[in-house]
């Protein structure tokens, strides 16, 4: 009792005696003045906010591991746990094809951050070979299946992050489970392929089912091993979700020249076994039969979200719905990576994005948001679906919208295609780039771009991606001050040339059409109602030319020769050269001579080849 009275008297003196408070504050925390009641309140509030929270992450690759690493950097107190279905976390999906071909080695390079690093250095608990079975969002519990012990566990959480990514699309094709037909999504998959290659003799022919990025990259690496590769896809061309037909056909010609074979507008109907357990041939829907020794099933991917069926978490076409802070309809449950839809920075529409870059960025944002208060949370701005791959030495990529997507979104768009060298022609090893840009005729802003080339394609796509993100117009891009040296570019860079050509079209200095547009107009008007001029040299024309085209050599005496052919100045007229430049110059001359309906074919004969 006596001690209690003394303590109360001390606290009363502390509250009312400013000198006493100052003295105690100076002794304890080296500040000139402290309001003790306020200080204690703030201290209590701080501790309450930073209590040890349990953050459970389902899925441990690009997005999930980014969440864990960022959350740990933000807080040493948080209890962070990862549950991953495979035997590894943080593996390099994009490196798997190159491990098959022997370009990436040793195997440990495929694991970007080993489990022991998470456990020891980051104090993050990692449970591999644990599959999420269900989520109860209301009760804040998940059920996981320990695949090694074959038992189910119930796990509680304060914050939950779902980043389970995608899985391979499995189609009901007869004999699809043959030992020599492989998917490629995880390190376990690539281990099986490598083991098969190491222990199987007389492999000669490889079938790639699917002409997407993984299919093409893996096909290239099988070619490095000396195998014959055939790619089959039900789409009309490679990379069907990304490229337009004209750019895809240009890319395909490069790959065919390198030895890769293609069958399009067709699909696998069934696989047939030989004398043993192995499949030896595939029958296509067209009736064609392809014999092979090994096949890669790269038929597509789907979100890995079946376990969320009865969770109460809102979904859209098997994908988790999130806001800009990556929160679901439960504010303490987040999702990121391939299982969420993202806002497109051009259309502002929500859609899928199956790329590692956005997944990692979203993971970092979630890692911040699971730690900080609501008002300090970060937002994910959106995507342009920017990507690039390299196959047989040729880079091929895209950013923003394609022509097909412009049509779907009802844009009044224009197309600019140029085929410049990657750097000035007089400097050794200059090679041609194929660049395509689509732009909004009303706002003059860039909507998207595609690029193909051995060197320099990625750099140009990055510039154009930045321009789209910044809302630049074609006239802004025309004047970009890009770096120049003979080894890297030209005084008028390829990106600036794209914009210049687009500006010429908008100013009606020239009219151009893509080759698919030309073919459509040819069908609509009839061949008898059009004129087609080939302005290349006689040698080029003799080697190959478009049927019924008239040769007028631009490099000879084009102005006078034009008069000799008695052409109709009002008739629908198309011009083509090798890459577009001579056609453009010829068009200006013809307009000056009174031709009223003349169009240059963008990309020239490079894009007219089938």
């Amino acid at each position: 009792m006596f001690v209690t009275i003394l303590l109360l008297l001390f606290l009363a003196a502390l509250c009312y005696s400013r000198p006493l408070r100052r003295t105690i504050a100076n002794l304890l925390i080296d500040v000139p003045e402290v309001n003790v009641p306020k200080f204690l309140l703030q201290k209590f509030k701080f501790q309450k906010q930073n209590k040890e929270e349990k953050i459970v992450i389902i899925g441990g690759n690009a997005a999930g591991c980014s969440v864990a690493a960022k959350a740990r950097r933000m807080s040493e107190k948080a209890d962070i746990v990862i549950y991953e279905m495979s035997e590894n976390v943080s593996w390099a999906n994009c490196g798997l094809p190159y491990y098959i071909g022997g370009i990436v080695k040793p195997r440990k390079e495929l694991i970007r951050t080993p489990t022991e690093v998470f456990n020891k250095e980051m104090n993050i608990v990692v449970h591999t070979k644990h599959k999420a079975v269900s989520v109860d969002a209301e009760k804040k519990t998940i059920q996981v299946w320990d695949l090694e012990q074959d038992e189910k566990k119930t796990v509680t959480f304060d914050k939950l992050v779902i980043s389970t990514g995608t899985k391979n699309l499995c189609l009901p094709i007869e004999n699809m489970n043959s030992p020599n037909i492989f998917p490629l999504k995880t390190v376990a998959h690539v281990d099986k392929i490598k083991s098969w290659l190491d222990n199987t003799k007389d492999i000669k022919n490889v079938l790639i089912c699917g002409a997407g990025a993984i299919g093409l990259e893996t096909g290239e690496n099988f070619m490095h091993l000396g195998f014959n590769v055939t790619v089959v896809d039900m789409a009309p061309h490679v990379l069907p979700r990304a490229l337009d037909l004209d750019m895809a056909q240009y890319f395909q010609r490069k790959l065919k020249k390198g030895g890769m074979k293609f069958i399009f507008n067709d699909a696998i109907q069934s696989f047939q076994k030989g004398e043993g357990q192995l499949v030896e041939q595939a029958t296509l829907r067209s009736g064609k039969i392809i014999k092979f020794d090994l096949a890669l099933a790269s038929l597509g991917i789907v979100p890995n979200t079946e376990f969320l069926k009865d969770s109460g978490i809102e979904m859209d076409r098997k994908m988790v719905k999130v806001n800009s802070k990556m929160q679901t309809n439960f504010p303490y449950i987040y999702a990121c990576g391939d299982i969420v839809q993202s806002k497109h920075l051009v259309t502002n529409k929500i859609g899928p994005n199956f790329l590692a870059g956005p997944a990692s960025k979203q993971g970092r944002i979630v890692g911040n948001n699971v730690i900080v208060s609501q008002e300090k949370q970060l937002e994910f701005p959106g995507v342009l679906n920017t990507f690039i791959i390299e196959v047989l030495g040729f880079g091929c990529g895209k950013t923003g919208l394609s022509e097909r997507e412009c049509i779907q979104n009802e844009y009044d768009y224009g197309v600019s295609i140029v085929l410049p060298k990657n750097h000035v022609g007089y400097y050794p090893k200059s090679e041609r780039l194929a660049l395509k840009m689509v732009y909004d005729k009303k706002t003059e802003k860039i909507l998207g771009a595609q690029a193909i080339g051995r060197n320099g394609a990625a750099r140009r796509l990055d510039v154009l991606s930045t321009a789209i993100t910044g809302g630049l117009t074609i006239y802004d891009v025309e004047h970009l001050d890009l770096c120049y040296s003979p080894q890297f570019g030209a005084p008028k860079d390829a990106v600036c040339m794209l914009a210049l050509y687009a500006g010429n079209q908008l100013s009606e200095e020239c009219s151009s059409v893509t080759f698919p547009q030309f073919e459509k107009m040819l069908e609509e008007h009839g061949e008898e109602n059009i004129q087609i001029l080939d302005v290349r040299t006689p040698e080029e024309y003799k080697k190959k030319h478009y049927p019924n085209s008239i040769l007028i050599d631009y490099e000879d005496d084009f102005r006078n020769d034009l008069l000799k052919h008695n052409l109709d100045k009002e008739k629908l007229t198309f011009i083509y050269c090798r890459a577009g430049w001579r056609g453009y110059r010829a068009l200006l001359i013809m307009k000056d001579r009174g031709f009223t309906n003349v169009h240059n074919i963008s990309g020239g004969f490079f894009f007219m080849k089938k």
Side-chain angles (χ1 to χ4, degrees):
M1 185 68 178
F2 179 76
V3 174
T4 304
I5 293 171
L6 286 177
L7 181 60
L8 290 173
L9 290 171
F10 174 78
L11 290 174
L14 196 62
C15 290
Y16 292 99
S17 175
R18 185 172 180 178
L20 179 60
R21 290 202 306 269
R22 183 184 294 116
T23 301
I24 294 173
N26 286 334
L27 288 172
L28 294 177
I29 49 177
D30 194 28
V31 291
E33 181 174 334
V34 173
N35 185 314
V36 172
K38 185 177 180 181
F39 172 77
L40 292 173
L41 182 63
Q42 289 176 339
K43 184 70 176 174
F44 173 76
K45 185 179 180 181
F46 175 81
Q47 289 174 340
K48 186 177 179 180
Q49 285 180 340
N50 289 273
K51 72 181 179 71
E52 185 175 307
E53 283 195 314
K54 187 175 183 181
I55 300 168
V56 174
I57 302 167
I58 309 175
N61 203 13
C65 289
S66 293
V67 173
K70 178 62 175 177
R72 175 55 74 225
R73 293 195 297 271
M74 295 292 293
S75 171
E76 274 295 311
K77 293 184 178 182
D79 179 12
I80 304 173
V81 185
I82 299 175
Y83 289 94
E84 166 56 42
M85 184 171 64
S86 70
E87 62 182 17
N88 301 107
V89 292
S90 188
W91 69 90
N93 286 77
C94 299
L96 299 180
Y98 303 99
Y99 179 64
I100 291 173
I103 296 172
V104 172
K105 52 187 177 182
R107 179 185 179 279
K108 66 179 182 180
E109 292 298 322
L110 294 175
I111 312 301
R112 304 311 305 140
T113 307
T115 301
E116 53 268 24
V117 173
F118 282 100
N119 290 337
K120 294 179 181 179
E121 294 185 19
M122 301 186 194
N123 191 26
I124 294 170
V125 179
V126 176
H127 296 285
T128 56
K129 296 186 179 180
H130 279 66
K131 180 180 179 180
V133 177
S134 64
V135 173
D136 190 324
E138 295 283 357
K139 294 182 179 179
K140 291 189 175 183
T141 62
I142 66 170
Q143 197 173 50
V144 294
W145 180 15
D146 185 334
L147 300 177
E148 283 191 317
Q149 301 298 323
D150 193 22
E151 63 178 359
K152 292 182 180 179
K153 307 172 185 176
T154 299
V155 178
T156 61
F157 64 83
D158 294 304
K159 302 279 181 65
L160 176 66
V161 180
I162 307 166
S163 56
T164 45
T166 58
K167 61 181 181 179
N168 289 93
L169 178 64
C170 293
L171 299 179
I173 300 174
E174 184 182 354
N175 294 320
M176 188 75 173
N177 59 348
S178 175
N180 61 332
I181 300 177
F182 300 92
L184 185 58
K185 192 77 171 62
T186 67
V187 177
H189 291 156
V190 83
D191 284 341
K192 289 181 180 180
I193 294 173
K194 287 286 285 184
S195 177
W196 187 268
L197 293 174
D198 293 340
N199 295 288
T200 306
K201 296 180 180 179
D202 300 324
I203 297 176
K204 294 181 180 178
N205 301 307
V206 173
L207 172 64
I208 305 292
C209 307
I214 292 295
L216 295 178
E217 290 171 335
T218 310
E220 174 197 28
N221 280 278
F222 279 127
M223 290 177 69
H224 288 329
L225 298 176
F227 305 145
N228 301 314
V229 171
T230 301
V231 181
V232 175
D233 201 299
M234 64 189 302
H237 57 76
V238 297
L239 302 170
R241 291 184 178 180
L243 296 187
D244 290 320
L245 177 62
D246 48 6
M247 292 293 280
Q249 288 182 339
Y250 182 87
F251 188 43
Q252 285 162 203
R253 288 201 303 272
K254 302 296 184 183
L255 303 187
K256 286 179 181 178
K257 193 173 181 180
M260 193 174 284
K261 300 173 185 175
F262 295 98
I263 298 174
F264 293 111
N265 298 305
D266 214 339
I268 307 293
Q269 181 169 294
S270 64
F271 292 108
Q272 290 80 44
K273 292 183 179 180
E275 296 180 359
Q277 293 297 311
L278 301 182
V279 164
E280 293 185 351
Q281 67 180 33
T283 299
L284 307 186
R285 291 178 184 174
S286 63
K288 291 180 182 177
I289 293 177
I290 302 174
K291 294 188 176 183
F292 64 90
D293 304 301
L294 182 151
L296 180 80
S298 183
L299 299 167
I301 51 178
V302 291
N304 190 17
T305 55
E306 294 93 338
F307 67 99
L308 298 175
K309 183 180 179 182
D310 299 316
S311 65
I313 296 171
E314 291 184 2
M315 309 283 288
D316 180 20
R317 289 172 290 179
K318 297 183 179 181
M319 304 190 81
V320 181
K321 294 178 69 174
V322 294
N323 60 20
S324 61
K325 296 177 180 179
M326 312 309 297
Q327 290 172 307
T328 67
N329 51 310
F330 296 91
Y332 47 85
I333 299 179
Y334 297 75
C336 53
D338 293 350
I339 63 167
V340 303
Q341 295 183 326
S342 302
K343 183 181 76 172
H344 197 285
L345 293 175
V346 175
T347 65
N348 288 320
K349 292 182 179 179
I350 303 298
N353 179 281
F354 302 129
L355 296 168
S360 296
K361 296 182 184 78
Q362 290 171 356
R364 184 180 184 277
I365 287 172
V366 173
N368 174 85
N369 292 356
V370 293
I371 299 298
V372 303
S373 58
Q374 189 73 18
E375 61 271 14
K376 293 183 179 180
Q377 293 201 344
L378 302 175
E379 296 185 67
F380 182 68
V383 298
L384 287 174
N385 294 324
T386 305
F387 89 101
I388 192 164
I389 63 171
E390 184 184 68
V391 184
L392 300 179
F394 287 92
C396 177
K398 175 219 178 192
T399 186
L401 303 183
S402 62
E403 267 197 87
R404 172 177 50 82
E405 291 167 324
C406 286
I407 294 169
Q408 289 173 348
N409 288 281
E410 299 181 341
Y411 281 99
D412 181 14
Y413 72 95
V415 179
S416 175
I417 296 176
V418 297
L419 289 99
K421 294 295 182 72
N422 62 320
H423 57 69
V424 290
Y426 66 77
Y427 193 85
K429 298 183 179 180
S430 68
E431 295 191 29
R432 192 173 297 280
L433 287 170
L435 301 179
K436 178 177 182 177
M437 180 175 73
V438 288
Y439 58 92
D440 191 324
K441 290 182 178 179
K442 295 178 181 177
T443 65
E444 300 169 351
K445 290 184 177 181
I446 301 169
L447 301 174
Q450 297 165 46
I452 299 168
R454 284 192 183 274
N455 294 296
R459 173 192 154 196
R460 272 68 184 201
L461 279 178
D462 283 340
V463 171
L464 290 164
S465 172
T466 305
I468 296 170
T469 304
L472 302 188
T473 69
I474 57 173
Y475 300 108
D476 295 325
V477 174
E478 176 183 327
H479 296 290
L480 285 178
D481 190 7
L482 303 178
C483 63
Y484 161 64
S485 183
Q487 303 94 322
F488 300 103
K492 197 178 291 178
D493 191 81
V495 169
C496 300
M497 289 179 64
L498 264 179
L500 284 164
Y501 194 56
N504 289 343
Q505 292 172 341
L506 282 181
S507 67
E508 298 184 354
E509 180 179 322
C510 73
S511 174
S512 67
V513 295
T514 64
F515 182 61
Q517 289 172 338
F518 159 72
E519 288 192 307
K520 185 178 180 181
M521 294 172 76
L522 182 64
E523 184 179 341
E524 290 174 352
H525 291 83
E527 191 172 322
E528 67 280 2
N529 296 315
I530 67 169
Q531 300 171 134
I532 306 173
L533 301 189
D534 186 327
V535 298
R536 299 175 300 160
T537 65
E539 291 77 18
E540 290 174 296
Y541 183 86
K542 185 178 180 180
K543 187 176 180 181
K544 206 170 190 179
H545 61 270
Y546 195 83
N548 301 317
S549 57
I550 302 167
L551 173 64
I552 307 179
D553 186 357
Y554 173 77
E555 294 179 356
D556 191 10
D557 191 9
F558 181 80
R559 290 170 177 81
N560 291 324
D561 288 346
L562 188 62
L563 302 174
K564 298 176 183 178
H565 289 274
N566 195 31
L567 299 173
D568 187 339
K569 293 185 177 182
E570 296 183 358
K571 197 172 187 180
L572 180 59
T573 304
F574 297 96
I575 308 172
Y576 72 87
C577 60
R578 185 166 180 247
W581 173 245
R582 285 174 287 178
Y584 163 63
R585 295 288 296 153
L587 179 145
L588 295 179
I589 294 171
M590 293 180 71
K591 282 186 65 179
D592 192 63
R593 297 292 191 276
F595 285 82
T596 58
N597 198 6
V598 58
H599 311 272
N600 186 28
I601 297 177
S602 293
F605 203 68
F606 275 113
F607 279 77
M608 297 175 74
K609 297 176 185 176
K610 289 269 182 126

